[in-house]
Amino acid sequence: MHCSVPYPADHPFPIENLPYGVFSTAQDPEPRPGVAIGDCILDLAALTRTPLFAESPVPAPVFAEVRRAGSRESVSNLDAFVALERSSWRAFRRFLHGILSREEPLGDDVLVPRTSPETQMHMPITIGDYTDFYASYEHAFNCGSLIRGADKAMQPNWRHLPVAYHGRASSVVVSGTDFHRPSGQILASPGDSQPIFSPCKRLDYELEMGFVSGCFCLSIGAQARLTWHHMQIYGGKATQLGQRLSPQQAQEHIFGVVLLNDWSARDIQTWEYVPLGPFLSKNFCTTISPWIVSMDALEPFGVGQYAHEPALLPYLEHDGGVNYDVDLTVEIKADDDEYHVVSRSSMKHMYYTLGQMLAHHSTTGCSMRPGDLLGTGTLSAPRPDGLGSLLEKSKLGREPFGLGSRKDMTFLRDGDSVRLTGSARGKGYTIGFGHCEGTLLPALPLLD
C-alpha cells in the first residue's frame, strides 16, 4: 500500500500494521493515543482537531470516543476505543488507511518522531484482570521432563484444557520499565524441607504473547452493569455473569496482541506452587510491548492449529481457528553491554488458539471485560535454539551456557536486560510489535 510517510520496505510499522499505543512528549507531557507509522507516531489527539477528522465518514461511536480521548475529557488511553465493537475498530482502521495513503503528506502537527528520546511510551490500556496460560506443548513437555522425567512430563489434564493461573494486573508494566529482584521463601539447597527468606536466586524470563479482550456486545443475555470506576466508560460491554463464549465468539472479540514477558522467580515457584500453583513467583512484574497490533493486521499470517489428540470436548472445538506465524526472538544484554540472541521461536507454537483460551476462561460464566489481558504462556519451539525460558535453556541451572563474555550463564543477574521482539513477514512488508524490554535491579531491603 502507498503511504505518505516514508519508510524502508522492511520497517516494522508500515501502513499494513498501524498498531495502537499511548505516548507523550517533552513538549506535551500529557499521555495520549497514537498510531505507529514508520518512524513517526500519528497523534490521534491532534488528528481529532483537524478537518481530516471532522469531515471523515468514521461512524459516530468511533468519532466520539477518539475525540473524547483527544480532548482529555476521559482517561488518556485506549480504554474507550478497546470497548467499541469490532466493526468500529475496522471502520477506524479504514479511515487511517485513507488519510495515510493520500498523496498529500500529513503535517508535523499530527506526526510525532517515534524514536526521539523526548518521546515516551505509556501503558496503552487500564488492565483490570490478567490471566496467563500454559499453551505451548513444547514448553510444557520440556519443563515436565526436567522436573518429572520424559515419561511423566505431561499432566493428564493438559491436552484437555488450557491450563492457566490468575496473575497480578497491578504489576503489568510497559517496555523499558526496570524492576527489582523479588524476595521470598526458597529452599537453600536441594532436599531441604525448611525454607529461608532470601532474594530470588533463579530469576527467569518467559517468551510470550499477550492478547487484549475487547467489547462483548453479544446478542445473548443482557449486558452486565459494572461498578468498577474505570469501567464506567465501557457502558457495560462485558459478558454477563453466567454467560459463556464459544471459541468463534471469543476470537471475534479480541482487540489485539502484544509481546509479553512473564518474569518468573523459579526458586520461589518451586517451593510455593504445590498445590495451588504460582503466586509470589509471578506477581512482581510482567512486561508488555507498548504497541497493540490489531487482529486485522495479523489476519494474513494465520496458520493451521495443532492437531489435538485426544480430541477436545465440543465446547472447545474451534472451527476455522488458527495460530499465527509470528517470529519471536529473545536477546539478553549482560557483562559486555551488548545484546546477544538466546532464543528464536514463533507464536504458531500454541496447542490452543487464542479463541479457545478466551472461551475456556469464560466456561464457568466468569465475566470477561474490555481491557482484560491474557498471556499465551511461554512459547518454545521444537528445537534446541527455540527454548523460551532460561529454565529450559540451562536445564534447571544444571548446564551453564555462554552469553558473550559470560561463560557460566544460567539465570539472570542484577543488571541484565532482556529484550523480546516479534515480526510477521508478508509480501513486501513486515508487521512488528516494537520492543518488550526490562532490566533487573537488585532486591530492595525489607521495610523497617
Side-chain angles (χ1 to χ4, degrees), residues 312-335:
L312 299 178
L313 295 178
Y315 82 96
L316 279 175
E317 292 177 355
H318 192 175
D319 293 339
V322 298
N323 286 342
Y324 295 91
D325 191 6
V326 178
D327 293 330
L328 302 172
T329 301
V330 183
E331 299 171 284
I332 298 179
K333 181 170 65 175
D335 303 334

Side-chain angles (χ1 to χ4, degrees), residues 121-156:
M121 300 304 299
H122 302 270
M123 282 293 293
I125 56 174
T126 305
I127 299 171
D129 275 302
Y130 164 51
T131 301
D132 197 29
F133 285 88
Y134 190 40
S136 165
Y137 174 85
E138 286 76 16
H139 175 64
F141 181 81
N142 292 340
C143 293
S145 297
L146 289 169
I147 297 169
R148 294 180 295 274
D151 57 334
K152 298 180 180 178
M154 306 302 293
Q155 299 286 9

Side-chain angles (χ1 to χ4, degrees), residues 271-303:
W271 175 241
E272 76 173 2
Y273 85 100
V274 177
L276 294 182
F279 178 36
L280 302 184
S281 57
K282 300 276 192 175
N283 76 347
F284 56 94
C285 186
T286 300
T287 304
I288 64 171
S289 53
W291 297 104
I292 305 178
V293 175
S294 72
M295 301 311 296
D296 286 329
L298 287 182
E299 187 175 7
F301 305 98
V303 294

Side-chain angles (χ1 to χ4, degrees), residues 183-228:
S183 296
Q185 290 191 18
I186 66 171
L187 297 178
S189 301
D192 285 359
S193 58
Q194 176 62 36
I196 63 171
F197 185 84
S198 167
C200 163
K201 300 181 185 301
R202 294 189 165 196
L203 202 289
D204 202 353
Y205 61 80
E206 291 195 340
L207 172 61
E208 303 192 25
M209 301 296 285
F211 53 108
V212 178
S213 64
C215 167
F216 295 98
C217 287
L218 304 177
S219 59
I220 51 174
Q223 293 178 0
R225 298 180 66 88
L226 304 179
T227 57
W228 240 25

Side-chain angles (χ1 to χ4, degrees), residues 59 62 84-94:
V62 182
L84 298 176
E85 298 184 61
R86 190 178 187 91
S87 59
S88 296
W89 304 334
R90 286 178 165 169
F92 193 66
R93 182 174 168 84
R94 288 193 297 269

Side-chain angles (χ1 to χ4, degrees), residues 397-408:
R398 300 164 187 157
E399 297 183 11
F401 62 94
L403 180 72
S405 60
R406 186 181 297 175
K407 306 305 179 185
D408 58 346

Side-chain angles (χ1 to χ4, degrees), residues 9-238:
D10 60 349
H11 200 284
F13 298 129
I15 194 172
E16 291 86 356
N17 192 349
L18 303 183
Y20 296 98
V22 170
F23 75 102
S24 64
T25 62
Q27 295 76 23
D28 186 353
E30 187 71 21
R32 54 203 187 272
V35 173
I37 180 68
D39 287 333
C40 299
I41 299 174
L42 177 61
D43 186 336
L44 295 184
L47 183 65
T48 63
R49 300 188 285 270
T50 68
L52 281 173
F53 197 85
E55 300 168 3
S56 78
V58 176
V62 182
F63 182 93
E65 298 298 0
V66 176
R67 180 177 288 282
R68 183 164 63 167
S71 64
R72 287 87 183 257
E73 293 178 7
S74 64
V75 178
S76 297
N77 59 21
L78 296 167
D79 287 355
F81 186 63
V82 169
L84 298 176
E85 298 184 61
R86 190 178 187 91
S87 59
S88 296
W89 304 334
R90 286 178 165 169
F92 193 66
R93 182 174 168 84
R94 288 193 297 269
F95 165 67
L96 294 176
H97 278 150
I99 64 170
L100 286 168
S101 61
R102 292 163 16 118
E103 292 298 330
E104 304 85 359
L106 296 172
D108 293 340
D109 55 333
V110 296
L111 291 175
V112 174
R114 183 179 54 81
T115 57
S116 168
E118 297 186 344
T119 301
Q120 181 179 353
M121 300 304 299
H122 302 270
M123 282 293 293
I125 56 174
T126 305
I127 299 171
D129 275 302
Y130 164 51
T131 301
D132 197 29
F133 285 88
Y134 190 40
S136 165
Y137 174 85
E138 286 76 16
H139 175 64
F141 181 81
N142 292 340
C143 293
S145 297
L146 289 169
I147 297 169
R148 294 180 295 274
D151 57 334
K152 298 180 180 178
M154 306 302 293
Q155 299 286 9
N157 64 349
W158 197 91
R159 290 185 177 88
H160 292 274
L161 57 85
V163 176
Y165 76 93
H166 195 187
R168 182 72 180 174
S170 65
S171 53
V172 180
V173 300
V174 73
S175 177
T177 305
D178 300 339
F179 68 100
H180 291 275
R181 180 182 295 273
S183 296
Q185 290 191 18
I186 66 171
L187 297 178
S189 301
D192 285 359
S193 58
Q194 176 62 36
I196 63 171
F197 185 84
S198 167
C200 163
K201 300 181 185 301
R202 294 189 165 196
L203 202 289
D204 202 353
Y205 61 80
E206 291 195 340
L207 172 61
E208 303 192 25
M209 301 296 285
F211 53 108
V212 178
S213 64
C215 167
F216 295 98
C217 287
L218 304 177
S219 59
I220 51 174
Q223 293 178 0
R225 298 180 66 88
L226 304 179
T227 57
W228 240 25
H229 67 92
H230 79 275
M231 301 294 285
Q232 297 302 317
I233 59 173
Y234 293 169
K237 297 176 181 178

